[in-house]
Amino acid sequence: MPSARVVKNRTEFEGKIYEELALVQGADIPAWSADAELRHVGRSRLRVDGPQRVSGRARYTTDLMLPGMLHARVVRSPHPHARVIRVDAKRALALAGVRSVVDRTSAPELFDEEVHYVGAPVAVVVGETEEIAADAAHLVEIEYESLPFVVDLEEAIADRTRVQRKESYSRGDARRGFREADIVVDARYTTSTQLHNCLEPHGAVAQWDGERLTLWESTQAMFDVRKGVAKAIRARLDDVRVICDYMGGGFGSKLGHGHYSEIAAVLAKRLGRPIRCVMDRREENLVTGNRSATVQRVRVGATKDGKLTALEHVAWSGTGTEDGWVASTTGPSNGLYEVANVRSEQFLVLTNTGPFSAFRAPGYVEGTFALESAMDELADKLALDPLALRRKNYAKLDPQSGKHYSLKRLDQCYSRGAELAGWSRRKAGGTAGRHAYLRRGMGVSTQVWGGGGGPPAYATIHLNADGTAIVRAGLQDIGSGTKTAIAQIAAEELSLPLERVRLSIGETDAPYGPASGGSMTTASLGPAVRLAAVDVRRQLLEVAAGLMEVRASEIHLTDGHAVAGRGGKKLALDEVFSKLQNYTVIGRGSRHPNPEDVRLRSFGAHFAEVEVDIRTGAVRVLKIVAVHQIGRIVNPLNAKSQVEGGVTQALGYAVSEGRVLDRLSGHVMNANLEDYKIPTVKDVPDIVVEFVPDLDRRANNLGGIGLGEPPIIPTAAAIANAVANACGARVRTLPITPARVLEALRR
Amino acid sequence: MKSFSYAKVATAEEAAGLLKQRNTRLIAGGTDLLGLMKERLIEPDRLVDVNGIAQLRGITATKENFRVGALTTLAELAAHQATPLIIKEALADAATPQLRNMATVGGNLVQRNRCWYFRSAEHRCWLKGGPRCLAVDGDNRYHAIYGEGECRQVTPSDLAPALIALDATVVMRTDEGEDSLPLAQLYVAPTARHRREHAVGDDDLILAVRIGGDALRRHATYLKFMERATWQFAVVSVAASARLVEGRAQDVRIVAGAVANIPWRVKAAEDLLAGEKIDDARALAVAERFVRDARPLRDNAYKVAVLRELVRRAVLRLKD
Amino acid sequence: MPEYRGPGPTPIKLDVNGESRLLLAEPRRTLLDALRYDLGLTGAKKVCDRGDCGACTVLVEGVAEYACLTLAVACECKHVETIEGGGADVEALQQAFLAHDAYQCGFCTPGQIMALAALLRRDGQAGEEQVKTAVAGNLCRCGAYPNIVTAGVAASRAKTSAKAK
């Protein structure tokens, strides 16, 4: 057995660096070399869970129908801020089929006396059917005492009691840097609240067996759900089993347990029946998280020839009622460019709106829009090509740590992207469209992100007597294709066809696995799976060596055979297996720490081409070129899809999505998929995806890091820059609506 | 959705009989009705399903008369070979394919508006009996830019402006028997006593919509402005029609949707075009005149610019 | 005079995927809830429940409709098809979706496939524009749209070339 030891590790998650202790076993192995002949890794493979997902057979949390299952419906506050005086459930309880109504007096662990946003929970009704629960929820009478509230971000920023400084960063002397500047851009950018609207709603189904709880939950982080729920209901970890077989999108909003998880767990125990608590679409838009709206001020100073002398970025992010953390909006400014003098501040601003949560590259999406818009404004003033300005301030070393990057090929992203986009066609002032009122333009923007992953992550692989393998890991697949990537890695190292590797994932009785977030799932778990497979192979070779009467070090696995030396003895693995019969070969692997001396980051560049109707303000995005560098791509087919998806979400963020709040009532007016406009199939432009082929061999034993979030980061700024190029309208507010384009054109 | 009783009827007479009962609503395509019921904006005790009334289905087309039964779906209307081009244009971007398969012509004409204050069960707006219109001081980016009334909702239908541009008439069965009136007259800005977007009562039955031969021969076009490529109710729409006599426009109709409580016409703008050749300058003048009396709210001045441009382009398209 | 049914549970006979199914439900039960809760057919998904997203798309009399805006009781005597029912068009689309990676989380996928199945049945040969229009009422939050279009066109092509043979 390999010995276990505790190591220190630095992991970057959602734009922040965490230093943690982790338990690892054995020793790591080097990444596959560039010329390694790999049969699975790096090749396009169809998703291993595809047949389930396209046939309707995949059972998502919301599809679970347990015998005797009851339905919980939450009664929510119509007030943005109020005290709950009285809850009268008499009429609700009188309705046939209603099993329970609980509020603060009967379930103090579930509710607060004060509600701080429209949609905050006040009571829960449990009924035999969804319809009955909804009827009863309507009959619960609640008396409130209204309290003062603010839902508008700008209004809240003006109120000191609602603003907290959460992060600040500086290097050099920004003041001096601005004194040295020939040109200064000083601009204010604002972004709207983006709502996740994962199609599968948040929700949980709870069932108790004595003291043991099974919780099916639509989540990106089963182990965090287990921890959170166990703590909330004061249970032991082994008494809570969380299951998530299939998951219908999370995008950051399902990284922990929800109030619904607690409702289901607590009430299922009380009532002795399984309980389903699943959000409806309105609840999805009110209470399950969002990307913070921001107000940002960016100042960039540069010399006449375009060398940055100073950069200052101050961001205010509306976190709703979340007062614990805030996303790092200033992260891109702190770390993207080589500039000696930087100062940034990140403020959290409380409003009476639903709490924010992580949303695919939280902070970096908002911050990159501001920073990369400002860079283009600077290029305009300097009469420099925007790409040239970026190249001029290219950081070869990580500007924050002074360390080398494990891999940085941003320059290749720029040059290949420019080629694919036809950047040489770009003209200052844009080009003409088919009509006099149509203008075309191009824009570029840069992406930087973490996603290196790290420990802890563990996997075991069981090799069966028929030569099939089962990979067991605490992994959930949220639609990103991780499951397929993991199967490819295992198949590669085991020299097995993909269809002989089965995954046993989706529940917490497995070894710990990371959250599906922070672009780190494959980069965290993949190396552990590879080591588990190596462990299996080592044992298998020992067995084969025994049977072949040679030393294990003299044979290798190839094509389902153990081969001794060059052209030596050959033994079919099936023969080995048949000798093993009911024995199980068990391989174990754990994720080892990241290298200390380099910074792991991914880079990319997006190029947008747009057409603007200068009479109506309509913006049509024609093309997005996305070139990314993450090192090894495990599955090019899924990776391309991942990028197209990120670009599409970014497109919505850039031109059509934004929560609408009514300042007078504090309500979200577009809490539905009619008025909250995510892109449709007809909105999606031509998306060209390419990856820099170089491997990131220092990062981990796969040679690559994560891709989940990078593709959503730079798009909005690229589009805004293209709009400005097309028609001179610099829109500093997202989304770039026709109204805003027309307003900018008037300026 | 509150529970209700349900009956299917086979004839208009049966429907008329049942619809006299209190709190009874008819259901055809159901795409608007069920949405309203799910939000509990209306809570009927009884639904009368009229889909079985065969005489309300189908399209009859001759050179002089185009008649669409009220139960014809939007998809059926869009697919029919005799359907005027402007109607096809209006339906191409109306809602989604599934909704067009379900929604009926009759239902489309009397659907309730999409104002988010009206659609929110937790807001008591003027149209729902409240003291004032919440859009006036609220978020009114999609609201009316014309009209003096209390309510700032706008007409959602793509079909209505196109049909009015063709002088369509609607055939109804009311208490007084069968009645035929110009479609435009169906739309009346809500008043304190009649807080509704149209003059159709809950117990009235729309039987059909008719377009006469003169209108069928007009040049006509429909333009719709949305903020995403598809699946949005019109931010602004414009239907225009005219007869061209030796290159000069006659019988001009310009009807804007989503800009006022009712499909909106500006007679003075139409008159500017009547008897004139259509060219760039004329189109622009007509468009300028059309929007001259617009009174946008805080958030929707852009709709005036969009409307001006849509009118201009629609007028120019009449040439073709 | 016709008789009212409900408001309480009433027997409803549905023809789903070629099988006659009997259930007891209130008239207010939508076709979507009837499929999911009463018949255990959970392929059609409840995402918006307002006819805004297309995840509940099924075929009623061969036409794509939103099951969330359809009453189960109104579907008596009509032929309802769901993703579970299969059939040549559905299976061809499923193969094309797999081959072209036309899904990520898969939650909208049954609705996308049913919307396209209606198209394939109606217009044998569908190009990119028809495919886009057919799924214009089916939202995909993962953004699998480019591949959905490719898969739809491929399935349509496969069907016409199979016919030609």
Side-chain angles (χ1 to χ4, degrees):
Chain A
M1 279 292 127
S3 61
R5 63 202 157 88
V6 172
V7 294
K8 218 198 264 176
N9 180 69
R10 285 153 68 89
T11 300
E12 185 169 346
F13 183 72
E14 306 291 39
K16 297 180 204 291
I17 291 174
Y18 297 86
E19 205 168 272
E20 284 170 341
L21 295 177
L23 184 78
V24 299
Q25 294 162 332
D28 207 348
I29 52 175
W32 290 291
S33 62
D35 57 1
E37 278 176 36
L38 304 183
R39 292 165 170 257
H40 298 288
V41 169
R43 293 174 190 266
S44 286
R45 291 281 180 269
L46 305 187
R47 289 171 200 255
V48 294
D49 53 0
Q52 286 74 26
R53 292 196 199 251
V54 303
S55 62
R57 291 203 310 276
R59 194 139 291 219
Y60 297 80
T61 302
T62 57
D63 297 332
L64 202 67
M65 311 285 164
L66 297 177
M69 185 175 81
L70 296 171
H71 298 261
R73 169 127 198 119
V74 183
V75 184
R76 299 189 176 278
S77 168
H79 299 282
H81 189 196
R83 188 167 294 119
V84 178
I85 305 296
R86 203 174 53 88
V87 177
D88 182 351
K90 269 199 296 294
R91 288 177 63 210
L93 282 166
L95 198 70
V98 173
R99 292 290 157 256
S100 175
V101 180
V102 296
D103 62 14
R104 186 169 54 85
T105 52
S106 48
E109 69 270 43
L110 291 176
F111 306 99
D112 295 324
E113 184 187 352
E114 243 182 71
V115 288
H116 294 273
Y117 61 97
V118 170
V122 180
V124 173
V125 174
V126 181
E128 293 284 346
T129 66
E130 252 189 71
E131 290 106 324
I132 289 169
D135 283 349
H138 220 65
L139 295 174
V140 177
E141 288 163 28
I142 303 166
E143 193 184 317
Y144 296 93
E145 179 196 343
S146 290
L147 297 169
F149 68 89
V150 172
V151 295
D152 182 70
L153 178 58
E154 309 252 3
E155 211 176 307
I157 290 171
D159 175 356
R160 279 179 178 214
T161 64
R162 293 178 169 272
V163 180
Q164 302 169 18
R165 195 167 86 152
K166 288 301 236 189
E167 289 169 14
S168 60
Y169 171 80
S170 74
R171 66 172 178 263
D173 180 347
R175 244 193 255 178
R176 200 186 64 215
F178 282 113
R179 275 201 307 270
E180 289 166 1
D182 298 317
I183 300 268
V184 175
V185 164
D186 184 348
R188 191 172 179 278
Y189 302 91
T190 55
T191 63
S192 294
T193 305
Q194 188 180 23
L195 300 167
H196 298 76
N197 274 309
C198 348
L199 292 198
E200 184 188 19
H202 292 64
V205 178
Q207 183 173 39
W208 287 85
D209 176 8
E211 288 307 302
R212 187 140 207 238
L213 168 68
T214 304
L215 192 72
W216 289 264
E217 175 148 335
S218 177
T219 181
Q220 299 171 245
M222 298 178 304
F223 286 92
D224 290 328
V225 171
R226 181 176 74 165
K227 192 157 73 178
V229 170
K231 190 176 168 210
I233 63 173
R234 297 195 178 85
R236 297 187 340 198
L237 287 182
D238 68 323
D239 278 338
V240 179
R241 181 174 172 225
V242 177
I243 299 178
C244 180
D245 281 333
Y246 293 95
M247 210 278 223
F251 312 117
S253 67
K254 294 176 179 169
L255 283 170
H257 81 287
H259 190 238
Y260 44 83
S261 332
E262 293 183 33
I263 289 170
V266 168
L267 297 183
K269 177 129 205 200
R270 280 198 198 183
L271 297 173
R273 286 172 65 177
I275 291 206
R276 174 184 196 264
C277 186
V278 171
M279 302 295 96
D280 68 16
R281 189 49 45 184
R282 180 166 182 264
E283 291 173 304
E284 283 295 307
N285 283 296
L286 292 183
V287 308
T288 63
N290 54 66
R291 183 189 301 284
S292 293
T294 66
V295 172
Q296 302 177 56
R297 187 178 170 199
V298 177
R299 285 174 75 206
V300 203
T303 59
K304 273 188 225 124
D305 59 352
K307 184 75 198 102
L308 298 186
T309 60
L311 176 55
E312 188 175 71
H313 191 164
V314 184
W316 291 265
S317 302
T319 58
T321 54
E322 169 62 59
D323 66 354
W325 74 290
V326 63
S328 292
T329 313
T330 55
S333 290
N334 297 343
L336 181 53
Y337 290 110
E338 186 188 78
V339 45
N341 308 299
V342 176
R343 192 186 80 81
S344 74
E345 281 182 294
Q346 172 70 59
F347 294 96
L348 170 159
V349 187
L350 294 167
T351 57
N352 293 100
T353 57
F356 107 107
S357 68
F359 190 155
R360 206 169 189 174
Y364 273 54
V365 168
E366 304 90 292
T368 297
F369 165 66
L371 172 65
E372 288 291 87
S373 292
M375 286 297 281
D376 259 47
E377 298 204 43
L378 180 66
D380 262 4
K381 281 196 174 182
L382 293 165
L384 264 181
D385 178 280
L387 204 48
L389 176 67
R390 286 167 172 86
R391 283 199 169 112
K392 182 123 199 157
N393 296 284
Y394 194 87
K396 287 214 171 89
L397 301 179
D398 175 39
Q400 283 165 286
S401 64
K403 290 178 185 173
H404 283 275
Y405 292 106
S406 57
L407 180 76
K408 179 167 180 175
R409 295 286 182 271
L410 177 58
D411 45 353
Q412 286 183 32
C413 298
Y414 284 145
S415 47
R416 184 65 185 138
E419 204 176 310
L420 291 167
W423 186 253
S424 55
R425 287 186 290 123
R426 181 185 182 275
K427 295 209 165 47
T431 56
R434 273 178 299 114
H435 296 281
Y437 51 82
L438 295 178
R439 300 287 309 165
R440 287 191 172 200
M442 296 174 79
V444 63
S445 168
T446 314
Q447 168 257 319
V448 59
W449 185 245
Y458 309 92
T460 61
I461 296 180
H462 297 187
L463 196 67
N464 298 313
D466 63 351
T468 59
I470 296 176
V471 180
R472 189 150 174 76
L475 169 75
Q476 56 281 307
D477 190 325
I478 62 174
S480 51
T482 333
K483 201 172 168 176
T484 310
I486 293 301
Q488 288 175 259
I489 292 164
E492 186 68 57
E493 209 55 71
L494 294 169
S495 303
L496 285 178
L498 199 57
E499 64 273 12
R500 291 178 83 167
V501 176
R502 194 168 74 76
L503 270 72
S504 171
I505 65 158
E507 61 134 323
T508 51
D509 282 358
Y512 177 89
S516 296
S519 307
M520 55 175 258
T521 326
T522 302
S524 296
L525 190 60
V529 169
R530 186 174 173 215
L531 286 174
V534 166
D535 191 19
V536 167
R537 204 179 50 177
R538 179 184 55 78
Q539 296 175 52
L540 199 60
L541 286 179
E542 279 168 8
V543 176
L547 293 171
M548 293 162 79
E549 295 173 337
V550 293
R551 274 206 300 275
S553 59
E554 287 171 15
I555 56 177
H556 63 278
L557 288 185
T558 182
D559 268 344
H561 287 79
V563 182
R566 271 182 190 278
K569 271 198 233 172
K570 235 174 151 183
L571 179 63
L573 282 182
D574 285 340
E575 222 169 296
V576 180
F577 295 132
S578 70
K579 297 234 158 63
L580 288 173
Q581 296 195 22
N582 277 338
Y583 285 86
T584 308
V585 178
I586 303 174
R588 299 200 301 173
S590 58
R591 173 61 151 89
H592 284 255
N594 293 324
E596 277 290 321
D597 56 331
V598 288
R599 183 106 195 251
L600 311 184
R601 302 210 97 181
S602 68
F603 293 91
H606 284 195
F607 292 76
E609 186 169 359
V610 305
E611 185 171 79
V612 183
D613 182 330
I614 56 169
R615 301 256 179 77
T616 64
V619 171
R620 201 154 70 90
V621 179
L622 304 170
K623 184 175 180 180
I624 299 285
V625 171
V627 184
H628 289 273
Q629 165 238 306
I630 63 160
R632 160 107 52 211
I633 306 286
V634 178
N635 186 338
L637 178 68
N638 287 179
K640 179 170 171 286
S641 300
Q642 179 83 281
V643 174
E644 288 167 349
V647 166
T648 303
Q649 269 177 3
L651 172 74
Y653 183 64
V655 302
S656 66
E657 295 181 32
R659 183 178 70 182
V660 176
L661 284 166
D662 179 54
R663 291 178 65 205
L664 296 176
S665 64
H667 278 250
V668 177
M669 300 317 299
N670 57 350
N672 56 60
L673 288 171
E674 173 191 328
D675 295 309
Y676 186 85
K677 294 182 292 294
I678 72 173
T680 71
V681 68
K682 293 194 174 182
D683 291 282
V684 177
D686 180 19
I687 304 173
V688 179
V689 180
E690 221 177 86
F691 300 101
V692 173
D694 299 32
L695 303 181
D696 191 350
R697 295 196 63 214
R698 290 295 318 277
N700 54 53
N701 68 33
L702 302 180
I705 63 173
L707 182 64
E709 286 151 307
I712 198 179
I713 293 174
T715 328
I719 292 171
N721 290 339
V723 169
N725 174 239
C727 64
R730 171 55 63 182
V731 181
R732 299 190 182 89
T733 300
L734 294 182
I736 303 169
T737 58
R740 290 183 177 129
V741 172
L742 290 175
E743 195 191 314
L745 279 168
R746 274 199 304 275
R747 277 200 305 263
Chain B
M1 186 155 56
K2 196 175 78 80
S3 59
F4 52 81
S5 304
Y6 169 93
K8 278 183 182 170
V9 294
T11 66
E13 289 67 36
E14 284 178 357
L18 293 186
L19 286 169
K20 283 202 176 67
Q21 278 179 291
R22 252 191 85 252
N23 206 17
T24 304
R25 300 293 289 262
L26 77 78
I27 179 166
T31 54
D32 190 30
L33 185 81
L34 293 181
L36 293 164
M37 288 170 67
K38 285 183 179 201
E39 296 296 340
R40 295 184 188 250
L41 296 173
I42 55 169
E43 299 191 308
D45 294 322
R46 282 166 292 273
L47 286 192
V48 177
D49 186 336
V50 297
N51 284 295
I53 307 178
Q55 72 190 88
L56 300 191
R57 293 201 170 274
I59 294 169
T60 37
T62 65
K63 266 192 176 156
E64 295 307 316
N65 186 28
F66 184 79
R67 187 184 193 278
V68 188
L71 284 179
T72 308
T73 65
L74 301 188
E76 287 163 355
L77 177 57
H80 198 277
Q81 51 161 355
T83 298
L85 186 64
I86 181 177
I87 305 293
K88 292 190 180 215
E89 286 175 341
L91 293 176
D93 277 326
T96 68
Q98 289 92 329
L99 288 170
R100 293 197 292 274
N101 286 338
M102 303 165 75
T104 64
V105 168
N108 181 277
L109 298 178
V110 295
Q111 64 181 306
R112 305 301 307 267
N113 77 84
R114 308 307 302 183
C115 166
W116 40 37
Y117 295 99
F118 173 74
R119 291 274 164 177
S120 160
E122 288 172 332
H123 288 83
R124 194 162 158 265
C125 77
W126 180 86
L127 195 61
K128 291 185 286 187
R132 64 200 159 77
C133 173
L134 300 175
V136 172
D137 294 321
D139 192 305
N140 46 42
R141 67 185 72 181
Y142 298 127
H143 290 78
I145 54 173
Y146 289 105
E148 307 292 329
E150 291 284 348
C151 173
R152 310 310 296 167
Q153 60 83 20
V154 295
T155 54
S157 169
D158 286 308
L159 201 48
L163 285 171
I164 291 171
L166 297 185
D167 297 335
T169 55
V170 59
V171 187
M172 310 232 303
R173 184 195 163 105
T174 67
D175 272 352
E176 286 103 55
E178 214 168 287
D179 194 11
S180 188
L181 76 163
L183 177 61
Q185 286 180 22
L186 218 60
Y187 299 104
V188 186
T191 60
R193 289 180 55 194
H194 184 80
R195 298 191 187 204
R196 259 298 171 90
E197 302 91 325
H198 52 73
V200 182
D202 286 345
D203 55 351
D204 293 339
L205 208 56
I206 296 181
L207 304 177
V209 176
R210 242 182 19 222
I211 304 167
D214 280 357
L216 290 173
R217 285 184 285 275
R218 277 187 215 152
H219 290 236
T221 192
Y222 182 84
L223 297 175
K224 176 179 184 177
F225 188 79
M226 296 180 278
E227 290 167 309
R228 64 178 174 190
T230 187
W231 184 208
Q232 186 180 9
F233 283 89
V235 174
V236 174
S237 68
V238 170
S241 76
R243 201 152 50 85
L244 287 188
V245 184
E246 288 161 7
R248 290 175 190 276
Q250 303 286 353
D251 293 337
V252 179
R253 308 279 184 274
I254 304 172
V255 190
V259 296
N261 283 180
I262 58 174
W264 197 255
R265 285 173 67 177
V266 177
K267 181 100 189 355
E270 293 176 358
D271 289 348
L272 263 185
L273 191 58
E276 300 292 338
K277 283 218 161 95
I278 298 172
D279 58 23
D280 286 351
R282 182 59 54 174
L284 186 60
V286 171
E288 293 288 358
R289 183 61 193 86
F290 200 99
V291 299
R292 202 177 77 187
D293 301 323
R295 295 287 173 271
L297 301 162
R298 190 193 57 227
D299 304 325
N300 66 7
Y302 75 99
K303 287 181 64 165
V304 178
V306 172
L307 175 61
R308 180 197 294 117
E309 185 60 11
L310 258 55
V311 170
R312 191 186 72 82
R313 286 179 201 169
V315 167
L316 283 175
R317 280 167 65 117
L318 290 178
K319 273 198 304 191
D320 308 330
Chain C
M1 264 328 234
E3 272 181 33
Y4 277 110
R5 300 159 67 176
T10 179
I12 299 173
K13 213 171 114 185
L14 293 179
D15 171 3
V16 181
N17 299 328
E19 285 178 23
S20 178
R21 308 283 301 259
L22 187 67
L23 57 117
L24 196 65
E26 296 176 348
R28 67 167 158 174
R29 180 139 283 204
T30 60
L31 177 59
L32 179 61
D33 282 345
L35 292 171
R36 292 175 56 82
Y37 286 128
D38 298 305
L39 304 181
L41 298 169
T42 56
K45 302 293 186 229
K46 189 187 280 194
V47 169
C48 72
D49 204 28
R50 294 292 186 279
D52 292 332
C53 75
C56 67
T57 300
V58 298
L59 305 192
V60 179
E61 296 290 278
V63 170
E65 296 193 358
Y66 292 146
C68 75
L69 284 185
T70 306
L71 296 175
V73 67
C75 291
E76 288 194 316
C77 311
K78 290 182 186 171
H79 187 53
V80 177
E81 291 167 79
T82 71
I83 186 87
E84 290 90 347
D89 290 337
V90 168
E91 280 158 26
L93 284 160
Q94 286 169 334
Q95 288 313 312
F97 268 58
L98 290 173
H100 297 281
D101 206 36
Y103 59 98
Q104 289 178 39
C105 81
F107 212 70
C108 72
T109 310
Q112 306 274 4
I113 288 178
M114 294 314 285
L116 288 169
L119 173 73
L120 257 55
R121 193 171 301 181
R122 201 180 58 234
D123 308 340
Q125 193 160 17
E128 195 176 306
E129 277 316 302
Q130 286 117 305
V131 167
K132 281 186 181 176
T133 296
V135 293
N138 292 75
L139 299 178
C140 169
R141 190 49 157 164
C142 297
Y145 294 126
N147 294 346
I148 290 171
V149 175
T150 309
V153 172
S156 163
R157 226 172 258 156
K159 183 177 175 173
T160 33
S161 64
K163 254 191 194 164
K165 286 171 197 165

